[in-house]
Amino acid sequence: MRTMAVIGTGLIGTSVALAVSRHDVTVFLADRDPAAARTAAALGAGIADVPGEPVDLAVIAVPPSQVGAVLAEAQERGLAATYTDVASVKAGPERAALSRAPDPHRYIGGHPLAGRERSGPLAARADLFRGRNWVLTPSRLTSDDAFDRALELVALCEAVPVVMHSRDHDAAVAVTSHVPHLMASLMAARLREGPADLPSLAGQGLRDATRIAGGDSRLWGDILQANAPAIAGVLKDLHTDLSRLVPALDALARPGGSGRDHGMRTLVDLLDRGISGLAEIPDTRHGGAPGGSRVRVAVADRPGELARLLAAAAEAGVAADDACVESVGPAGVPALSGFAVRFGVPARTADRLVAVLDAGGWDVVREGDRDPEDTPGRDPEDMPGRDPDDALDRARARDRDRDLDGVLLADTVRSGRRPQ
């Protein structure tokens, strides 16, 4: 890819431009707010100007409801050879492309699963997509050229390509992104309804649960309306759970009530389901980073040893959140007494961590880069920092002939058949 255009220089559009510009791609920037485009250009994301000839790829970074109109207008003036978007809802833009765009075969939907609670070009980062999944949703008309250009974009941004049907994507992000944002907003809104000193009692748990509530309300309103059917379905399921939870808490609030045992069972069941669901998220069970390494450290069963290890790890820039206790030997058995602590960290950090711990006299072993099966879609050679052209070639070569069948294929990238 030699040239690219980005329409919409907010957080995502500017981050895409910053990432691609590092690879000698000339990027042309446009935004309905000229100041936003000039700001992105001043950050080094590209040129706030109109290209003199069609670019290789145009990236449409606008809200979901605007993708169809912007795509049609860009194609009518011949802006690019191929087109993609980065909206977080895919079925609507795909329908708009198929019905309104002059050349729908030149378009492929896309959604990088990365973001920040801040918005605008000043929040952009060139490494925002590194190691993150980037969903591609080819339609039945998407050409091989459009598909390959999108794969190249993903590689240049050091992300992980994932192929899905647009409707399956929207159902998934309703659970993983859209409803969580609504829940964060609803919880944050409670802070305005409680006692005046309530905010002063806010701890880290509340901050974690409400952090994403600070997103742009107009943008999120557009996203939520575009995926309203899938979101409503998830909220109805949550309503069912709440319909069980509220009576259970009411029963527990009545001292000596006959329904207390049943209420407690219901409460614990809901909590256990949450623990089980959390374990389904990659890297929440064993502490780790996608595409990273595991470092194992033996810790003697003596008071203060674990704290001393965590302090040493902190010197290497590794937090306690990246550690977990894999095994604990029975006290009093010399051969087994102690802990086996594993740190899950990015590959580059693992070298530094091992060096620091080894110098401190710890019994430390690097267990190596994770098997590709542990990180769907990643080949050991595809790690950040590698040549993106090489990563793209390997991505194209893997599993070309596997059917999509509506399944999220994080280990499959193809330029042949499309979702039916």
Side-chain angles (χ1 to χ4, degrees):
M1 188 186 308
R2 298 179 300 104
T3 57
M4 190 177 80
V6 173
I7 305 174
T9 51
L11 166 65
I12 300 300
T14 303
S15 294
V16 169
L18 286 170
V20 172
S21 293
R22 296 186 302 176
H23 299 288
D24 297 324
V25 177
T26 301
V27 181
F28 296 89
L29 306 169
D31 195 285
R32 64 181 181 181
D33 178 5
R38 290 197 300 269
T39 300
L43 292 171
I47 306 166
D49 201 356
V50 178
E53 59 183 23
V55 297
D56 296 321
L57 175 68
V59 178
I60 299 171
V62 300
S65 66
Q66 301 175 24
V67 170
V70 172
L71 172 64
E73 188 274 335
Q75 288 195 344
E76 286 169 357
R77 61 188 173 96
L79 176 63
T82 55
Y83 301 80
T84 189
D85 75 287
V86 291
S88 64
V89 181
K90 299 269 60 86
E94 181 178 290
R95 287 193 299 269
L98 293 177
S99 64
R100 300 175 59 181
D103 298 304
H105 65 282
R106 296 176 182 267
Y107 164 78
I108 180 172
H111 177 204
L113 300 180
R116 304 181 69 187
E117 60 271 25
R118 297 172 56 202
S119 59
L122 289 177
R125 291 176 8 197
D127 63 351
L128 184 65
F129 312 108
R130 181 176 295 161
R132 305 300 295 271
N133 285 346
W134 190 309
V135 178
L136 298 176
T137 57
S139 75
R140 65 183 186 275
L141 299 182
T142 298
S143 68
D144 286 354
D145 287 344
F147 194 88
D148 289 343
R149 283 297 186 201
L151 285 176
E152 187 174 1
L153 171 65
V154 174
L156 291 172
C157 292
E158 300 182 65
V160 182
V162 175
V163 181
M164 297 183 72
H165 286 289
S166 58
R167 62 180 181 274
D168 295 327
H169 164 275
D170 290 357
V173 295
V175 177
T176 62
S177 175
H178 300 165
V179 169
H181 191 98
L182 277 175
M183 294 297 101
S185 296
L186 290 172
M187 195 63 240
R190 294 298 91 205
L191 298 176
R192 300 185 60 183
E193 309 298 330
D197 58 352
L198 186 61
S200 65
L201 301 179
Q204 191 58 46
L206 180 65
R207 297 178 193 278
D208 289 343
T210 58
R211 177 183 57 83
I212 58 176
D216 186 303
S217 59
R218 288 177 297 177
L219 172 61
W220 271 98
D222 192 288
I223 291 170
L224 297 174
Q225 67 86 24
N227 201 26
I231 293 169
V234 178
L235 290 176
K236 289 172 183 175
D237 291 339
L238 286 173
H239 181 267
T240 299
D241 286 337
L242 289 172
S243 297
R244 295 180 57 217
L245 177 60
V246 172
L249 292 172
D250 285 340
L252 291 170
R254 293 191 291 268
S258 59
R260 288 178 59 83
D261 289 344
H262 176 72
M264 180 58 72
R265 286 195 300 271
T266 299
L267 179 60
V268 172
D269 174 66
L270 289 171
L271 293 172
D272 284 342
R273 286 169 54 201
I275 294 170
S276 177
L278 183 64
E280 297 299 316
I281 303 176
D283 303 306
T284 56
R285 265 182 292 191
H286 301 296
S293 298
R294 291 191 176 98
V295 175
R296 181 184 184 278
V297 187
V299 183
D301 190 9
R302 294 193 297 267
E305 282 296 281
L306 184 57
R308 191 168 71 87
L309 170 64
L310 296 177
E315 294 179 10
V318 177
D321 291 346
D322 298 317
C324 64
V325 177
E326 290 286 329
S327 61
V328 180
V333 181
L336 297 176
S337 181
F339 305 91
V341 177
R342 280 185 172 84
F343 293 90
V345 294
R348 295 175 181 176
T349 305
D351 292 333
R352 182 169 66 250
L353 177 62
V354 169
V356 169
L357 296 182
D358 186 62
W362 293 95
D363 181 3
V364 55
V365 176
R366 178 171 177 172
E367 297 184 328
D369 291 337
R370 297 187 184 176
D371 188 285
E373 293 181 2
D374 291 339
T375 307
R378 299 307 296 271
D379 184 286
E381 292 296 315
D382 292 348
M383 297 302 172
R386 304 283 182 161
D387 184 343
D389 291 334
D390 291 344
L392 175 62
D393 290 340
R394 282 186 295 276
R396 285 175 176 161
R398 282 199 301 265
D399 301 328
R400 286 182 180 271
D401 298 320
R402 187 177 301 183
D403 288 335
L404 290 172
D405 291 333
V407 178
L408 187 151
L409 297 180
D411 61 340
T412 302
V413 178
R414 308 180 301 108
S415 58
R417 295 172 58 191
R418 300 286 181 264
Q420 300 299 316

